[in-house]
Amino acid sequence: VFAAEEPVDPATILFTPEQEELAELSNPAEGTATGHELGRIFRELQALDEEALLEEALLDAAIDLLRAERGFLALVNDKNDLVYVVTRHFDPREHQHEVRQELVQQAMAEGRAMRHRRGGRAQACAPLTGGGRVRGCLYLDAGGPERFADGDLNTLELLALYGAALLDNLGNRR
């Protein structure tokens, strides 16, 4: 037997069904589209259950979202070497000298996304970190010295963090 419900204090109500409808009709704040896009990409990445497919999709998402011309995803192997795993429009044999290795080293050492701009090109790098270790990095390159704004670095860092977590989860399932 249930006792009659006591009246609810209006201050304890988060929203009512009527308010939910209004929330859906309100105009999104500036930048929300990127949030929606990231949400869609995160769901797509989460649905992948093969490491190679996840690595490719992660790099493709970074290149598309940040409008980069080329890039790579590199992972640390058992010997602690940073090894190219996936590349787009980038051949390590031909373009190795074009990689800003100091950018990669600094981003991985500091555990945050960073950029370099010079000579009409810009590069951005974000470490894949998780479980207290650096697992690898996402590296992008594009023409235009003003490329990769602060918001782009935030997006790249979010992708790298989420990608590292998903890669760790796949590794733990084995």
Side-chain angles (χ1 to χ4, degrees):
V1 177
F2 293 103
E5 279 190 43
E6 292 187 30
V8 176
D9 179 356
T12 63
I13 298 173
L14 181 59
F15 67 87
T16 64
E18 296 82 26
Q19 289 170 319
E20 182 179 11
E21 206 172 293
L22 291 175
E24 291 175 8
L25 297 175
S26 65
N27 291 330
E30 199 166 316
T32 304
T34 300
H36 290 296
E37 186 71 6
L38 271 176
R40 182 189 60 77
I41 288 169
F42 285 176
R43 286 187 297 279
E44 289 174 4
L45 292 173
Q46 190 171 7
L48 299 172
D49 58 0
E50 290 182 36
E51 195 168 317
L53 293 176
L54 176 57
E55 293 161 352
E56 289 182 16
L58 184 59
L59 178 58
D60 290 341
I63 288 173
D64 289 345
L65 275 176
L66 278 67
R67 299 164 315 283
E69 294 170 10
R70 60 187 181 168
F72 62 81
L73 183 144
L75 295 176
V76 176
N77 68 10
D78 294 338
K79 297 177 183 176
N80 216 27
D81 297 323
L82 188 62
V83 180
Y84 296 101
V85 176
V86 181
T87 64
R88 293 290 184 259
H89 311 289
F90 178 87
D91 183 344
R93 291 172 223 29
E94 292 181 28
H95 303 116
Q96 176 67 30
H97 65 283
E98 297 175 23
V99 174
R100 299 279 179 205
Q101 291 188 13
E102 69 281 358
L103 175 66
V104 173
Q105 291 167 348
Q106 190 174 4
M108 291 179 68
E110 293 187 22
R112 64 186 179 91
M114 305 182 93
R115 71 176 159 245
H116 179 272
R117 297 172 173 161
R118 186 171 48 188
R121 296 204 68 78
Q123 296 80 30
C125 182
L128 279 78
T129 58
R133 66 186 177 101
V134 177
R135 188 181 167 94
C137 70
L138 275 171
Y139 182 95
L140 303 177
D141 184 291
E146 298 303 314
R147 295 297 301 275
F148 305 130
D150 290 344
D152 294 330
L153 290 181
N154 292 337
T155 298
L156 184 60
E157 194 165 324
L158 285 171
L159 277 171
L161 287 168
Y162 194 70
L166 291 175
L167 287 168
D168 282 344
N169 287 344
L170 282 178
N172 290 337
R173 283 194 229 161
R174 289 190 189 128

